[in-house]
Amino acid sequence: MKDLNGKQTRYMRDSLPIRLGGLAANLARISSLTRRETINSMVETMFEESLYFIEWTAAEAEPEVAAALVDIQLMLALWRKAWPEAQKYKTQRILLSVQAKKWADQVLDYSGLLDA
């Protein structure tokens, strides 16, 4: 990822709920992009960015939320590694899409942004 330090500085300026909302948006993008049959390099970018977002955010979250984020991070890392092969198969793309949507909803719930 280009300019990682700059991205981290910008990301960390936001409050925890906004950062969680940004992570949820990335996970929703993964869900959307992985349903497509065309191979999309944006998925890999979203994987990488989401992994960093979790790394930068989990330490400030409540322990339960931090644990859930680390679980998501682990699964994202595994999907990222498997993606070059998995993207060739519709069932694998749909599986990731459904899981990423669940993660997005979960993280959005953690953010509390919808409670306002």
Side-chain angles (χ1 to χ4, degrees), residues 1-15 19 48-49 51-60:
M1 184 175 354
K2 288 184 176 181
D3 190 24
L4 186 59
N5 290 333
K7 186 173 278 287
Q8 182 179 12
T9 299
R10 285 187 303 279
Y11 185 75
M12 295 303 288
R13 284 184 193 143
D14 290 328
S15 65
R19 283 184 270 151
E48 184 176 7
E49 195 172 77
L51 290 168
Y52 280 115
F53 285 178
I54 293 170
E55 180 180 325
W56 299 333
T57 301
E60 293 181 33

Side-chain angles (χ1 to χ4, degrees), residues 1-115:
M1 184 175 354
K2 288 184 176 181
D3 190 24
L4 186 59
N5 290 333
K7 186 173 278 287
Q8 182 179 12
T9 299
R10 285 187 303 279
Y11 185 75
M12 295 303 288
R13 284 184 193 143
D14 290 328
S15 65
L16 182 60
I18 299 297
R19 283 184 270 151
L20 289 170
L23 172 59
N26 264 26
L27 295 169
R29 285 183 199 103
I30 290 171
S31 177
S32 176
L33 290 169
T34 55
R35 285 195 179 262
R36 300 179 183 171
E37 287 188 34
T38 57
I39 296 173
N40 192 325
S41 63
M42 279 299 297
V43 174
E44 293 175 18
T45 301
M46 293 292 104
F47 279 140
E48 184 176 7
E49 195 172 77
S50 297
L51 290 168
Y52 280 115
F53 285 178
I54 293 170
E55 180 180 325
W56 299 333
T57 301
E60 293 181 33
E62 295 294 324
E64 294 175 3
V65 173
L69 291 175
V70 170
D71 286 344
I72 292 169
Q73 186 181 40
L74 174 61
M75 294 305 298
L76 278 174
L78 291 170
W79 270 109
R80 180 182 181 201
K81 183 175 179 161
W83 184 244
E85 187 64 24
Q87 68 184 323
K88 298 174 187 175
Y89 302 99
K90 183 177 182 178
T91 55
Q92 293 295 305
R93 291 192 316 272
I94 291 172
L95 180 64
L96 174 55
S97 178
V98 169
Q99 185 61 64
K101 174 70 169 102
K102 285 184 178 184
W103 292 329
D105 292 345
Q106 180 182 9
V107 172
L108 187 58
D109 186 51
Y110 292 148
S111 77
L113 293 172
L114 297 180
D115 296 339

